[in-house]
Amino acid sequence: VQHTESSPCDSDTDGDGDPDVSDPNDTSRNGQCFVVNAGMGGPDADCDGLSDRLESILTSDPNKLDSDGDGLDDGLEDANKNGRRDPDETFVMEPDSDGDGLSDGVEKNIVGSNPLSGDTDGDCIVDGLEVKDPYAKGTGINTDPKNSDTDGDGLCDGNFADGDKCKRGEDI
């Protein structure tokens, strides 16, 4: 729980003497967000959803929403707030979790590719090579990293076959 949310276990989350149900102020403590999380709760200076204590374990910056500068807030990257990089999460201190040349935020928010898979469409061309978009900072060949047959001609973008979708032919 953070910022303006109250804790179900504490009727006065911010400790100001006013019960949460009638508190005219937010439920932060001294102007900072506060995270209620079993064993990892406490102040959250940057209000990203990860307590400062948890950020010290992750070696992320407790004063920056996005410690690695990849375009995703730290609290989104450690979604379950357990302080570990789980298989379905990007890492708060790695701007390009899959190493394909596109930041996690660009993949998730702009391109729509998978920031945990270097080759989202499985066409044997790394996502960062496919994207040719100055905003996404790709230097690529302008194929779609989410579609193994970008132009729909039956030949795969990369040199492989994708089941019934396209045949081997390296159409780039």
Side-chain angles (χ1 to χ4, degrees):
V1 178
Q2 81 172 58
H3 201 51
T4 58
E5 298 177 37
S6 61
S7 168
C9 302
D10 186 350
S11 62
D12 182 16
T13 306
D14 62 2
D16 66 358
D18 294 320
D20 290 344
V21 294
S22 61
D23 196 337
N25 304 310
D26 64 22
T27 56
S28 62
R29 298 184 188 240
N30 302 322
Q32 291 184 338
C33 295
F34 191 83
V35 175
V36 178
N37 180 356
M40 290 293 165
D44 178 10
D46 57 11
C47 298
D48 63 1
L50 300 179
S51 70
D52 297 346
R53 179 176 175 217
L54 185 56
E55 293 216 48
S56 71
I57 292 168
L58 292 166
T59 67
S60 56
D61 188 336
N63 296 303
K64 287 176 118 176
L65 281 170
D66 179 12
S67 295
D68 60 6
D70 65 357
L72 297 177
D73 290 355
D74 297 344
L76 294 174
E77 295 198 79
D78 186 15
N80 63 5
K81 320 285 190 266
N82 68 355
R84 292 188 304 268
R85 181 180 186 176
D86 296 310
D88 60 340
E89 296 175 334
T90 56
F91 186 55
V92 299
M93 292 306 296
E94 177 60 52
D96 180 8
S97 293
D98 59 12
D100 63 2
L102 297 173
S103 75
D104 297 337
V106 165
E107 288 204 68
K108 191 165 187 151
N109 299 325
I110 298 171
V111 176
S113 54
N114 183 347
L116 297 172
S117 172
D119 182 14
T120 299
D121 60 8
D123 64 0
C124 297
I125 303 173
V126 177
D127 294 345
L129 292 177
E130 292 200 63
V131 175
K132 188 171 189 174
D133 178 345
Y135 186 69
K137 297 182 182 165
T139 57
I141 55 178
N142 207 24
T143 55
D144 183 350
K146 302 178 305 293
N147 183 350
S148 58
D149 183 15
T150 300
D151 61 6
D153 67 354
L155 292 177
C156 295
D157 297 335
N159 192 12
F160 88 113
D162 186 6
D164 294 331
K165 184 172 183 179
C166 55
K167 62 184 177 184
R168 184 178 178 143
E170 197 158 351
D171 180 28
I172 50 174

